Amino acid sequence: MARPGKRMKKALDGLDREKLYSIEEAVKIVKARASTKFNETVEVAMNLGVDPRQADQQVRGMVALPNGTGKTVRVAVFAKGPKVAEAQAAGADLVGGDDLAEKVLAGQIEFDRVIAAPDMMGVVGKLGKVLGPRGLMPNPKLGTVTPNVAQAVKDAKAGQVEFRVDKTGNINAGVGKVKFEEGQLAQNLKAFLDAIVKARPSGVKGNYIKKVTVSSTMGPGVKLDVAAFGGQAAPAQAA
């Protein structure tokens, strides 16, 4: 294992790596120990007691962070007719149909979120091999395939975050920037954790949330007290 540099040694100084902290304590520590010149992202890493290979143990969804992400989200919308103007008025960065599909197939992925009207899925469906591996394929369960494209664009721009468990049972996401106020970061983190708790799959038995760590992009991880926000105690949903 590589030895930490001077900056990381300073960030680790006096930090109890094994202690479990409250959300408010963790946010305070993360902000205080972020020492780079750029506005680092505050990230949460979670290990869940799920088996993603099982269909009834998938964890995926969207959550609107009350204070946004601090990141500019570029939104592409597949629409036609009146919905083109609706999407544009809502702030979409790219709106189109076959023309937009051609750009995607040519490798012009100049967006972070894709939204599609239901009647455009015949066009979007052909882009699965390009959008799928990037996690950009629209999905009705996530609200990114919807007749209300304007609201979907507004939600994406306002700080809506997608989460999805990976094959090792982990979830990682950004919940704000270190220059946010402590209260703003705490609210965002609580909203994210609450969404994960509510997304508990029916097939999970025992502890659902095993471990949660919060850090800045270049800072040390701070462990959260999972029991404090009810993660382990969350009841399983009815099958």
Side-chain angles (χ1 to χ4, degrees):
M1 180 180 291
R3 299 177 63 180
K6 291 182 179 180
R7 185 191 59 77
M8 183 57 76
K9 284 184 178 179
K10 183 177 180 180
L12 289 169
D13 186 37
L15 176 63
D16 186 344
R17 301 294 300 280
E18 299 305 317
K19 180 178 178 180
L20 301 179
Y21 295 88
S22 68
I23 289 175
E24 291 75 15
E25 289 173 328
V27 165
K28 185 184 293 290
I29 292 170
V30 168
K31 278 180 61 68
R33 292 171 187 267
S35 59
T36 62
K37 294 181 180 180
F38 67 93
N39 190 10
E40 298 178 50
T41 297
V42 175
E43 304 172 353
V44 57
M46 309 181 68
N47 178 243
L48 307 181
V50 302
D51 182 356
R53 296 172 298 179
Q54 305 301 319
D56 63 351
Q57 295 192 39
Q58 297 298 310
V59 182
R60 187 179 185 184
M62 289 279 196
V63 55
L65 301 182
N67 300 293
T69 63
K71 177 184 177 182
T72 299
V73 180
R74 300 168 300 172
V75 181
V77 178
F78 284 88
K80 61 183 178 181
K83 293 191 183 300
V84 171
E86 292 174 15
Q88 291 172 333
D93 299 274
L94 295 167
V95 185
D98 290 325
D99 56 335
L100 181 54
E102 290 177 4
K103 290 182 179 179
V104 172
L105 290 173
Q108 298 179 40
I109 314 297
E110 300 172 349
F111 44 79
D112 309 296
R113 181 75 57 83
V114 180
I115 294 164
D119 59 0
M120 295 301 294
M121 286 309 293
V123 174
V124 178
K126 301 174 184 178
L127 307 176
K129 291 183 178 180
V130 179
L131 298 178
R134 293 175 169 82
L136 294 172
M137 192 66 182
N139 187 320
K141 293 182 179 180
L142 299 177
T144 47
V145 177
T146 173
N148 193 349
V149 293
Q151 187 59 54
V153 171
K154 292 176 182 178
D155 290 341
K157 290 285 188 178
Q160 193 179 53
V161 173
E162 180 181 354
F163 57 84
R164 184 176 187 177
V165 68
D166 65 19
K167 61 182 180 181
T168 59
N170 296 319
I171 285 180
N172 296 276
V175 293
K177 296 289 186 177
V178 293
K179 289 186 178 180
F180 280 20
E181 296 179 0
E182 289 179 12
Q184 292 177 314
L185 285 172
Q187 287 179 341
N188 279 5
L189 185 52
K190 287 177 181 177
F192 187 85
L193 295 173
D194 186 52
I196 300 300
V197 171
K198 290 180 179 178
R200 175 176 179 143
S202 60
V204 174
K205 308 301 179 185
N207 286 347
Y208 169 45
I209 300 177
K210 292 184 173 182
K211 180 180 177 182
V212 182
T213 302
V214 183
S215 68
S216 63
T217 304
M218 303 296 289
V222 180
K223 294 181 180 179
L224 287 188
D225 182 357
V226 176
F229 60 84
Q232 292 176 317
Q237 299 175 354

